[in-house]
Structures are given as C-alpha cells and as structure tokens.
Amino acid sequence: MDTNELIKLRREFRQIAEVGWLEIQTTIKIIEYLKSLGYKVRYGKDIHSKNRLGVPPKEEYENYLKNIQLPNVDFDISEIKEGYTGCVAYMESKNPGPNIGMRVDIDALPLIESKDEDHLPTKLGFASKNEGFTHACGHDGHITIGLGVAKYIAENIDNLKGTYTLIFQPAEEGVRGASSMTEAGVVDHIDYLMGAHIGMNEKNGVLGVGTQNFLATAKYDVEFKGKMTHAAAAPELGKNALLGAASCALNLHTLPQFGKGMARLNVGVLNAGTGRNVVAANAKMLLEVRGDTSENAKLIEEKMKKVVEGSAMQYDLEYSMTKMGEAAAFNTKHPEFTDMIADEMKKRGFEIDLRPSLGASEDVSFMLKRVEENGGKCIHYLFGTQLSAPHHNEKFDYKEDVLDFGVKAFIETIDIFNKL
C-alpha cells in the first residue's frame, strides 16, 4: 500500500471515530476492505466471550444507530450493530510455516476534537464527524497500519510461509476488548504475535522493540444508595450516600502502600446528590487500581472492595460494584527473543530503543500473555513519531509518515518470522 493510500485510509477512519463497543461503522469498513483482499473474516459474537466488560446500555446503541448511516454490504451486520465489534481475518499460504498474528486496536475516545485551525485534522477537513468521539490515541493509525500489512500479505501470499491471523480489536480504551477476544480463543493457535502503539513518548523515527512494564489494572463503577430527607428539618431520617462515598474515596487513597513492587489507585469521578438542602440518597464513583504485577493489582483490588463495603456499613448504605475493564501485567518470558528481533531490525536499518517502558496499561497484554503461555513468542513495538499534543488530548495528532514506518516494521518482522 503506497503512502497516499495509507494517508487516505487513516483520514477516513479519523472522521468516523467511534468509542469502545460502538465501533460499528469502523468494523464494517475494516471487514469490507479485508474481504476485498480475499481474507476469510470472522466477526460478531463468534469472536467474543459471553463476559464482555463495560458494554453500553441498549438505549445507547439505539440512539447511536439513529445518528449514523450504514452502507449496504453483502454480509450480515446485525451482531455488529448489537455491539459485537472488531474482527479477525485469516489467510493461508501454500508454504508450510508458523501461524503469525498481528493485533491492532480500533476504538476512539469520548472527547470533542479541537476545532482550532492550527489542528491539522480540522484545517484539512478530516476531523471526527462523530461529535464527542475522537481518535486521540492513534488508533486510526493502528487500523491503517494493520490494513497496510493485510494488503502486503495478500499481494505476497505465494512467497510467504505459514498462515496469518490479523486481529482488529475493539474497546481498548477502558481495557475491555482484549479479555473478551482472548477468552474466545482468537490467539490460541498463534505461534508469533506482533503488537504496537504509535507514540507513547518514543522519539520520532525510533522503533521501540520489546515494550515492557505493562501494568495490570481493574476498572470499577461503585454506587452507594441511601435515603433522601430534608437536610434541616429531619436529617436524622436520611442515609447520606454522599458522605459514605466521600469517606470511601479518602480511605481508598491510603491503600497504595507496597514494599514489594508498585500499586496505584485513583478515584477519577465522584458524583452525588440532587440539591443543597437534600440529604444525598445516591452517589457514584469511577475508580481504577493498577499494579506492576497481576498479584499486586489483585491485592489492592481486594483491599478496595473491603473499603467500599466498610464505607457502606459505616453510613448504613446499600452498595454495588461493577467491573468495567481489566488488563494483565506483562513482561516477556523470552528476553532473548526480544534481543534477536532488535538485532535483526537494526540490521534492516531501524534505529532501535530496546525495551522501552510503557508504564501504563494496555489490554493487548492479555493476548501477549496467552500466546506465551501456549508456547509462542511475542513482540510489541512503539512507533516513534512527532506528536502535536499528548495522548488523550483534544488536539492529539501525529506525523503521518509513521504509517509507512509502522507497515515497514511489521513487514520486516514477518520476514524475520518466515526465516526462523
């Protein structure tokens, strides 16, 4: 795929930015492109487990579908419209060899994209047309790189070895999609898996090889339910959910104290009450826990649950906790494989940053971990590029030459796998 086609595709996906489990237009467009290249494509419920996290309510799907126009296609999109987004594509060569996998994520963020004229997507007319949804983390580029690699494989399949599995994963933001697809077995047959992310503090034009320090995380919505009453006339008749939630938030932030490793906890949102003279009957908080190991993350998660339970008991409240997302910690079990890939990519002209630290959570970790558990090998890259604003910012954008860079990195890696 030449540079102009990559840029054209990327800008098309930017305009139809969609958040996790709502990537309906995005999924359909990806499937159309893959089918045109001759891939066998699985999608819908077939590629997901029954335990999807953080799924929007049915009404949100219905309202969203009223605001978009879907193309007429020759395949069934009913399950995609229900939120079973993403797809997995397959192509087999005639030459024996390994099963090579690639994973890219496809969702956007719930942000309003900048309308400033110095913001290139706005200036050139390819900013998001879906108000409130923005590709502010580079996933539009990830999709495009994935399709560029797909086209290369399709055009060169007679000269390649083995079989190819290309995973276009939904709902990475909020770390929801990978666990569903991993539980459904989409990576269980893969011998070598590639993943990557644009930016993430990597220097322009540098290839980060063997990304490490993926943090384990769990995301929760917590709700407290009390009893409403007049705040002056009869406060003793109420049960104050706001005070329970506030006490809970303060106590939760005392938890990340670990002598062995690292843990994090953050209450990012806390909403409560209906009026200044009413004892608040309801409160809701959105929180997350993280750890440098899955064990540390699990430990702080269990402590968090006890604090929530204790806060509810203290203020005589009902409560509920709903897990909205999760990701595993990951550091490869095969550092020698990372070293080999880095050496080979250096020989092929790439400037290398060996083992860059992610220092955050990314749910590709579930897939990387599963492949290694099954005896396979993995490599995760960072594609260094110049950013116009930080990730998750309304002005986020990147130099579009990173699209060629990413495609080339994956193609060269496929060649390395073909020669092992």
Side-chain angles (χ1 to χ4, degrees), residues 69-378:
Q69 189 168 3
L70 299 178
N72 292 319
V73 293
D74 61 357
F75 52 91
D76 183 9
I77 63 172
S78 59
E79 292 180 353
I80 297 172
K81 290 164 65 177
E82 293 175 17
Y84 292 89
T85 49
C87 64
V88 184
Y90 303 89
M91 187 167 286
E92 185 173 357
S93 77
K94 297 177 181 177
N95 306 308
N99 194 306
I100 297 170
M102 176 191 68
R103 175 270 193 185
V104 294
D105 42 13
I106 69 173
D107 58 324
L109 283 153
L111 297 174
I112 297 175
E113 185 157 12
S114 172
K115 294 178 172 58
D116 292 351
E117 277 301 313
D118 63 347
H119 179 55
L120 192 66
T122 297
K123 183 178 180 179
L124 298 185
F126 65 91
S128 175
K129 293 180 179 178
N130 286 339
E131 187 71 14
F133 298 165
T134 304
H135 270 298
C137 200
H139 299 186
D140 53 337
H142 298 170
I143 299 166
T144 304
I145 290 168
L147 293 178
V149 175
K151 186 171 184 181
Y152 166 81
I153 292 169
E155 291 177 346
N156 294 275
I157 193 65
D158 290 341
N159 300 317
L160 296 173
K161 294 180 180 179
T163 57
Y164 295 83
T165 302
L166 310 182
I167 302 163
F168 292 81
Q169 181 213 304
E172 187 282 322
E173 303 295 351
V175 287
R176 296 169 286 165
S179 59
S180 174
M181 298 184 89
T182 303
E183 288 176 21
V186 301
V187 300
D188 285 351
H189 59 292
I190 290 175
D191 299 304
Y192 298 109
L193 179 64
M194 307 179 292
H197 205 297
I198 288 172
M200 301 304 291
N201 299 316
E202 191 56 86
K203 293 180 181 178
N204 185 38
V206 174
L207 180 67
V209 180
T211 314
Q212 61 182 354
N213 298 330
F214 288 81
L215 300 182
T217 187
K219 319 291 187 184
Y220 277 88
D221 287 359
V222 177
E223 296 190 52
F224 293 100
K225 185 177 180 180
K227 185 177 180 181
M228 194 179 299
T229 188
H230 196 290
E236 73 279 5
L237 300 180
K239 296 180 181 180
N240 200 316
L242 186 153
L243 290 182
S247 174
C248 181
L250 291 172
N251 287 318
L252 285 173
H253 277 270
T254 69
L255 295 181
Q257 301 180 45
F258 283 76
K260 296 180 180 180
M262 181 274 286
R264 296 283 188 271
L265 184 147
N266 188 61
V267 177
V269 176
L270 199 166
N271 294 314
T274 55
R276 73 178 72 246
N277 61 347
V278 181
V279 170
N282 296 283
K284 183 175 182 178
M285 62 170 60
L286 278 57
L287 63 86
E288 65 170 15
V289 299
R290 301 185 196 239
D292 58 347
T293 66
S294 294
E295 291 74 22
N296 281 341
K298 189 66 177 175
L299 180 58
I300 196 169
E301 183 179 350
E302 292 306 313
K303 289 185 175 183
M304 176 272 294
K305 291 178 180 178
K306 290 179 180 179
V307 170
V308 171
E309 181 182 8
S311 299
M313 185 181 299
Q314 181 183 7
Y315 288 87
D316 194 17
L317 306 171
E318 297 177 16
Y319 74 96
S320 65
M321 288 183 284
T322 305
K323 182 178 279 191
M324 301 299 289
E326 63 181 343
F330 179 77
N331 283 297
T332 182
K333 297 193 296 185
H334 304 288
E336 74 290 346
F337 183 74
T338 301
D339 292 342
M340 182 275 291
I341 295 292
D343 289 343
E344 287 293 327
M345 295 299 273
K346 190 173 183 179
K347 292 175 186 176
R348 293 160 188 257
F350 288 90
E351 183 181 349
I352 301 300
D353 176 19
L354 184 60
R355 295 189 182 86
S357 178
L358 186 68
S361 303
E362 220 276 34
D363 67 356
V364 69
S365 59
F366 277 122
M367 297 186 182
L368 300 172
K369 189 174 181 180
R370 177 66 66 87
V371 169
E372 287 199 352
E373 287 172 349
N374 290 340
K377 304 285 180 63
C378 303

